[in-house]
Amino acid sequence: MGLGSPRAGIARYPLVAVNVAFNPPSGESVTCVEPWSRTQKLSRLNQQQTERFKEQITPESATKVQASPPDHQRDAVLHDNEVEEDVAVEMPPPMEEIKTHTLPPSQPTSEEDRDSSHPSEDGASGDVDRELPSTASDAVASTDGAVETSAEPPKEEQQAPQSEQSEEESFVINELIETERDYVRDLGLVVEGYMQTIQSGKKPIPEDMQGKDRIVFGNIHQIFDWHRETFSKEVEKCADDPERVGGLFIKFENKLHMYVRYCENKPKSEYIVAEYIDYFEELRKELGHKLQLPDLLIKPVQRIMKYQLLLKVCLFLRMVVFIEMHEDKYCKYVCIHALPPPPITHTHTHTHIYTHTHNGYDCLLFPKQDILKYTDRMGDDTKILQKAVQVMCVVPKAANDMMIVGRLQGFEGKITAQGKLLLQDTLMVQEHNPKAAKGDQQKFKERRVFLFEQIIIFSEEIEKKNNLSNPGYIYKNSLMVNKMELDDKSSTDPLIFALIDKTPRSNLHLICQAPSDQVKQNWVSQIRAILEMQKDFLAVRLSLSSSKAFNRIVLFFTSYSQWSSPELGSTHRSSLLRKTHSHPQSDKMAMVSPPCDPGFRLSDPQKYTRCKSVPTPLPKVDVDPSNKTKKNAIALMLSSALLPTKVGELPPGGNPKTSQKNTTSSSPKPKRNFLEGVKNTLRPRKSPDNSSTSSSHGIIRASPAPKDSDLVQIAAETELTKNADTYAMILSSGDRAGNSGLNSLLEMASVQPDDTPTDDTS
Amino acid sequence: MAVIEIKLCLLGDSGVGKSSIVHRFVYDSFRPYMENTIGAAFLTKTMIVEGRTYKFQIWDTAGQEKYRALAPMYYRGAAAAIIVYDITRESSFHAVKLWLAELKRHASPNIVLAIAGNKNDLEDLREVSYQEAQDCAKSHGAIMIETSAKSAINVASLFVEIGRRLSNLDMTMSLPSSNSNALNVNQRTGQDVKGRRKCCGF
C-alpha cells in the first residue's frame, strides 16, 4: 500500500518542461539544479534504517527505495508512466557540492559575516559595506543573478550516510544553525547599530521623537542578548548532538515568550518608525546598512514563527523513519497536517500519512488506542520533540491572541479567562427584542464578533484614524456560551442565525447576518460544536458513572485540539504540577512569562496516581476512598470548582506546605484561566444568584468571582496537598496546550488506565 | 535608470504555493521537495520591464498562516500584496476573500493587490473557476492571474503586472499633492528610487 499514493501524487503533475516562460533579467543563466529530492534521501534513509534494525520490509517498500529519481529526471525521462518510473531511472551519482551544503557554511557573502561577527567594528564596517556591490550584501539570500543563484544551497546529498542520524534531520538542524547566525547578526544591526548610535548621541534624534525610541525597539535588546549569549550557543551544539534540539525549546520556553511582548509592541513601533522614517533612513545610510530599519524590525516576528516549522519537520522525519520501520497500520494515524507547506509533499512519498482539518483547526484524529501504542514505542527524544513543537506553537499563538485581544476595549471581564479564541469575523448584528413591535427593533449594525470558548463578544470596530493604526474594537455586548442557544433554522434568510440568551428574564436575541453562506456555516458549526461540548460536559457532570458519555467526550476533544492525542498533550503538563499549584501570588508575570519547567521530565511516574487519588476537599462531594478512580478525581475537581464562595473564609497565607515551594518563578495564569472557565460554565447551577440573573450585558461584570489561586488554596487548606497537586495539574494543563481545561480533564481521564494502582493515598 | 523598489508580501492559506511562486520567480526553478524550511527572510529579485528596473523585495511569511493577527506587520509595510490560492482547493479561495476584506480595511489604500490562482497546471482537479476569481478580483480592483509555479506559467507576468501597476501609481502619487492619508510606503518607494541610486550604484 505504501507505493500507490506517492506515484499517484507525482503523476498528478502534468509533465511540462520547465524553464520556458521566464527569462531572468541581466542575462544571468539560471540553472535549475534539482535536488536529489527528499524522496531519494528518505529512500536512503529507509535503506539505512532497514538495515540497522534488520526489520523485514515488504517487497513494495523495497521497490520504493529504488524508485525515487530526482524530479527533473523524472520529468525528462518519463512520460507519465508509472511503471517506467519504477524501473527505468537510475539514481544519479551524488554530487560534490554537498559538503558546502550540509555543513553550515557561511553562505552569505563574507563581507556580511565580517560585518556581523565583529560588531565592534561597526563604525568602520559601515564604510566597507557601502563600497560593496549592492548585490553582495542584500541580506541573507538576495538574488540578482547567477551569483546568488549559485549561492543558494545546493541540494545534493552527502555521500554514503555516515552517522546513524537521519541526514534529513541534520539538514534541518543545519538550517536552524545557519539561520540562527544570520538572525543574530541582523538583530545586532539593530542593537549595535541603531540603538547604540542613538544612545551615544552621535546622531541626535528629532526632538519630538524623544522618549519614543524605546517604543521603536521594544525589547529587541533583550532578545538579542539572549540569543547571542545563550540560545545561539545552545543551537550550535545541536550540530553534534541533534537530540538536543527539542529540549532546547522546552528549556527556554519562558525566554521565548519575550517574543510575545515584542509582537505586542510592534504596531506601536511601526507607527513611530513610519513617522520618523527620514531620520532612520539617514541613520541607515550612515551605518551603511542595506536593509531598512523596518526590514530588520520584522525579523523577530518572522523568526519566532519559524522555529515551529523546523521542529515539525524534525519531528515528522523521525516519525516517518519510525513508521517506515514498523507496521503500516500505524502510519495512517500519524498526521502531518501541522507541517508547513513544503513538507506536505511528503504525503506523496509517504502515502499512509493523512492530513485532516477540522473546523479550520489543524488537528489529528487518532484512535486513542493506536496512538497509545504508537507513541509508547517512540523514543523519549521524539516525545521531547513533540513537546517542543507544541511549545513553539504556543508562543506565536500567544502573540497572535494578544494582538487580537489587545484590540478589544471596554470589556470588563477577563478576556484571557474566556478560553481560546475560536473564531472572529465581521457580521451584521441586530439586538432583537421579540416582545417589541416590528418598527421598534433596532437596525442591523456591523459588529466584530469574537467567539471564545466561554463567551461570544460583540464589538464595534473603531473607525481607523490612519493607515498605521491597528484595528480596534469597542465592546458592545456578549453572551456566555453556557447560557446561549443557537437558532439557525427559523429565519428565511439563509445567511442569518440567531443567538438567544437563555438567562432567565433576559429576552435578548442577537440576530447575526453573515456576509456569505460559508461564513455562516463556519459560525454555526463552531457554535454548535462548543454548545455540544457544553452539553456533553454537563452530561458528564451529571452522570460520571456512565463511561459511555465519557468516551464520547474524549473523542470529541481528541478531534478538537491541536496535538490532540492525550499522550502528545499531557506529557509536559504533569511536569507543571508542582510549580503551578504553589504560586497563587505571582499573578503579574503571567502574561509575559507563562510557566516553564526547565527540569521537565517526560515520564512522571506519579502522573496518574496523583490525579486519581483525590479525596474531596469539599463536604459536598461524597467520596469512597476505596474507589478512587479517575472519574472520581474529576468529579471532585469539578465540584470543588463549583464552590467559589468559600474563598472569603480563607486565611491569606495559604498552606505552609505550598508556600515553601514558592521558590521558582512561574505563573498561576493557566490555573486562573481554566478555573474561571469552569466557573463560568458551572456557576449558574450551583450558585444561581451569583450571575445567572444578569443580562447578557452584565454577565461578565456580575461575576467578580474568587480567584482561582484562592481555590487552590482551598484545596491546600484541607491539608491534603495531593488535592492541590491534582488541582493545579488540571488547571495548568488546560491553558497550557491552548485547549480548554475541560479538554485536559478529559484527556487525563482518558489516559489513565483504570488498573493503575491506587494505593498512593492513605 | 531608476530602480523601483517594491516591497511585497504573499498571503494565503498554507500549501497553496506561496513559497513555490517566490522560488520560481527568484530562482526560476521549482522544487517539488522544498529543501529549506526557513529559507531567506528577504528575497530580492531585480527585473527590467519596459525600460524600468524593478527591484522586488519579497517578505517571507512562511509559518504565519495560522497567526493572522500578525499579518498586518507584514502587509502594512508592503507596497504590494499577492494573495495566493490553490485552484484545486475551494477553501483556499475563500481565504482570498477574507484577505481582501482585511486588506481593504487595514492596509494602505494604495497597496497593489494581486490574486494568484496557483497550480493551474492541475486543470483536471480545478475547483475554482477562472471567472469566479476574475470577478472577485475585479470587484476589489486587484490583479488576477492564474499561475503555475511548477510549470512557470505566468509567474513572471504576475510580478511584471505588479510592477507596472505600482509604477503607474507611483507617477500619480509622486505629485506633491499626494494625500496625506497615503501610507508612506509609496513615498518611500519614491525616495528609494533616488536614494538607492546614489548610494548603491545601481
Side-chain angles (χ1 to χ4, degrees), chain A residues 429-444 477 498-501 503 505-512 695-696:
Chain A
V429 179
Q430 180 193 35
E431 287 180 25
H432 182 82
N433 185 352
K435 284 177 187 164
K438 213 174 180 184
D440 293 345
Q441 298 293 354
Q442 291 185 18
K443 283 182 188 155
F444 275 93
N477 213 338
L499 297 169
I500 300 151
D501 190 359
T503 320
R505 277 179 280 172
S506 165
N507 255 327
L508 187 65
H509 287 221
L510 287 160
I511 317 281
C512 307
S695 75
S696 62

Side-chain angles (χ1 to χ4, degrees), chain A residues 21-22 25 30 34 37 138 143-144 171 175 270 274 290 292 295 302 306 345 400 446 461 464 467 471 562, chain B residues 7 26-27 30 32-33 35 37-39 44 46 55 60 62 66-67 69 76 105-106 152 156 181 184 196:
Chain A
F22 177 60
V30 180
E34 269 304 324
S37 53
D138 255 3
T143 57
D144 283 22
F171 182 91
E175 191 181 351
E270 275 169 18
K290 290 294 175 275
Q292 296 178 319
D295 305 342
Q302 290 179 307
K306 298 297 160 65
T345 49
N400 189 63
E446 199 178 78
E461 188 164 350
K464 56 175 180 181
N467 299 302
Q562 196 171 31
Chain B
K7 225 173 252 184
V26 172
Y27 302 105
F30 179 74
Y33 307 96
E35 292 288 320
T37 310
I38 293 185
T44 60
T46 309
K55 186 172 181 192
D60 172 34
K66 265 166 44 187
Y67 311 111
R76 262 201 309 250
R105 278 166 171 270
H106 303 302
N181 209 22
N184 59 7
R196 287 265 156 167

Side-chain angles (χ1 to χ4, degrees), chain A residues 481-486 502 527-543 549-550 552-553 556-557 681-682 685 742 746:
Chain A
V481 165
N482 63 333
K483 291 169 208 143
M484 184 172 85
E485 210 166 68
L486 172 70
K502 287 190 298 182
I527 292 172
R528 200 165 275 150
I530 52 170
L531 289 177
E532 274 295 306
M533 190 159 82
Q534 290 275 339
K535 230 164 71 189
D536 284 343
F537 182 65
L538 292 175
V540 177
R541 207 171 60 95
L542 296 173
S543 60
F550 236 93
R552 204 162 103 233
I553 297 161
F556 176 82
F557 281 114
T681 314
L682 298 173
R685 295 240 161 185
L742 177 58
L746 295 166

Side-chain angles (χ1 to χ4, degrees), chain A residues 493-744:
Chain A
D493 186 336
L495 297 179
I496 274 184
F497 61 94
L499 297 169
I500 300 151
D501 190 359
K502 287 190 298 182
T503 320
R505 277 179 280 172
S506 165
N507 255 327
L508 187 65
H509 287 221
L510 287 160
I511 317 281
C512 307
Q513 186 182 36
S516 74
D517 194 47
Q518 222 161 352
V519 174
K520 183 201 163 179
Q521 288 315 322
N522 203 10
W523 276 88
V524 168
S525 64
Q526 280 278 12
I527 292 172
R528 200 165 275 150
I530 52 170
L531 289 177
E532 274 295 306
M533 190 159 82
Q534 290 275 339
K535 230 164 71 189
D536 284 343
F537 182 65
L538 292 175
V540 177
R541 207 171 60 95
L542 296 173
S543 60
L544 276 171
S545 53
S546 155
S547 56
K548 213 176 173 185
F550 236 93
N551 290 339
R552 204 162 103 233
I553 297 161
V554 168
L555 273 175
F556 176 82
F557 281 114
T558 311
S559 67
Y560 217 79
S561 56
Q562 196 171 31
W563 289 91
S564 57
S565 123
E567 290 63 43
L568 297 180
S570 59
T571 41
H572 178 63
R573 291 170 185 179
S574 57
S575 70
L576 293 166
L577 215 157
R578 274 183 220 112
K579 305 186 57 181
T580 354
H581 83 273
S582 57
H583 291 265
Q585 276 91 13
S586 53
D587 268 11
K588 280 179 189 163
M589 304 179 56
M591 292 311 258
V592 191
S593 51
C596 164
D597 188 353
F600 157 63
R601 280 170 299 135
L602 265 175
S603 48
D604 181 350
Q606 287 186 17
K607 180 166 98 184
Y608 300 144
T609 48
R610 251 191 236 143
C611 173
K612 59 194 305 183
S613 59
V614 184
T616 172
L618 302 155
K620 284 222 170 182
V621 186
D622 176 37
V623 186
D624 175 6
S626 64
N627 182 23
K628 295 172 204 116
T629 66
K630 68 204 177 185
K631 284 167 194 167
N632 274 341
I634 285 160
L636 294 173
M637 291 313 111
L638 298 181
S639 43
S640 42
L642 293 175
L643 289 174
T645 42
K646 233 191 150 181
V647 180
E649 303 158 27
L650 287 171
N655 189 319
K657 263 189 188 173
T658 43
S659 29
Q660 271 173 9
K661 295 177 187 168
N662 265 345
T663 45
T664 43
S665 72
S666 97
S667 97
K669 201 69 188 180
K671 292 180 293 182
R672 151 168 315 222
N673 292 350
F674 166 65
L675 200 75
E676 299 222 346
V678 171
K679 279 186 293 190
N680 287 340
T681 314
L682 298 173
R683 188 178 304 115
R685 295 240 161 185
K686 285 280 175 178
S687 49
D689 45 344
N690 211 2
S691 63
S692 60
T693 47
S694 54
S695 75
S696 62
H697 250 295
I699 286 167
I700 297 298
R701 288 169 220 159
S703 31
K707 288 180 182 169
D708 51 291
S709 49
D710 295 326
L711 278 169
V712 175
Q713 280 183 6
I714 300 178
E717 277 301 305
T718 61
E719 296 190 358
L720 295 163
T721 23
K722 270 177 188 140
N723 281 351
D725 273 350
T726 320
Y727 219 124
M729 174 173 173
I730 291 171
L731 298 174
S732 58
S733 58
D735 191 60
R736 197 66 195 171
N739 298 326
S740 75
L742 177 58
N743 187 355
S744 55

Side-chain angles (χ1 to χ4, degrees), chain A residues 60-114:
Chain A
E60 272 176 347
S61 25
T63 326
K64 185 175 161 194
V65 167
Q66 294 168 350
S68 315
D71 205 62
H72 69 296
Q73 284 221 2
R74 201 179 280 135
D75 282 359
V77 177
L78 300 176
H79 303 279
D80 214 350
N81 185 327
E82 290 186 12
V83 184
E84 263 185 287
E85 185 181 326
D86 278 337
V87 198
V89 187
E90 276 180 60
M91 284 189 184
M95 296 192 197
E96 284 176 350
E97 287 99 299
I98 317 155
K99 278 185 183 163
T100 45
H101 177 46
T102 324
L103 302 175
S106 45
Q107 282 294 350
T109 55
S110 51
E111 288 84 353
E112 276 277 356
D113 274 359
R114 215 189 300 146

Side-chain angles (χ1 to χ4, degrees), chain A residues 10 12-14 18-19 21-22 25 30 32 34 37-39 41 71 134 138 141-144 152 155 171 175 179 263 266 270 274 278 284 290-292 295 298-299 301-303 305-306 308-310 341-342 345 362 393 396-397 400 403-404 407 446 461 464 467-468 470-471 518 562, chain B residues 7 14-15 23-48 55 57 59-60 62-64 66-70 72-74 76 94 104-107 109 121-122 125 150-152 156 181-184 188 191-192 196 200 202:
Chain A
I10 288 152
R12 266 166 47 133
Y13 295 100
V18 289
N19 289 347
F22 177 60
V30 180
C32 165
E34 269 304 324
S37 53
R38 266 173 201 272
T39 335
K41 286 188 180 177
D71 205 62
S134 64
D138 255 3
S142 77
T143 57
D144 283 22
E152 191 209 353
K155 300 147 214 144
F171 182 91
E175 191 181 351
T179 51
C263 291
K266 185 75 174 46
E270 275 169 18
D278 292 343
R284 174 181 73 86
K290 290 294 175 275
L291 287 177
Q292 296 178 319
D295 305 342
I298 192 87
K299 297 224 172 199
V301 183
Q302 290 179 307
R303 188 68 182 163
M305 296 196 272
K306 298 297 160 65
Q308 44 123 358
L309 295 181
L310 281 174
T345 49
D362 288 341
C393 286
K397 174 85 167 65
N400 189 63
M403 304 290 293
I404 296 168
R407 297 170 189 173
E446 199 178 78
E461 188 164 350
K464 56 175 180 181
N467 299 302
L468 286 165
N470 254 330
Q518 222 161 352
Q562 196 171 31
Chain B
K7 225 173 252 184
S14 54
H23 201 264
R24 164 63 70 193
F25 176 61
V26 172
Y27 302 105
D28 195 24
S29 68
F30 179 74
R31 303 177 297 172
Y33 307 96
M34 299 287 284
E35 292 288 320
N36 286 342
T37 310
I38 293 185
F42 294 99
L43 285 164
T44 60
K45 169 95 184 174
T46 309
M47 67 192 293
I48 302 164
K55 186 172 181 192
Q57 188 183 27
W59 294 36
D60 172 34
Q64 65 131 50
K66 265 166 44 187
Y67 311 111
R68 288 183 64 118
L70 300 175
M73 295 185 200
Y74 292 97
R76 262 201 309 250
H94 176 63
K104 200 175 157 193
R105 278 166 171 270
H106 303 302
D121 52 311
L122 303 176
L125 300 167
K150 166 133 177 128
S151 318
N181 209 22
L183 180 68
N184 59 7
R188 203 187 304 157
Q191 282 162 10
D192 281 329
R196 287 265 156 167
C200 310
F202 265 103

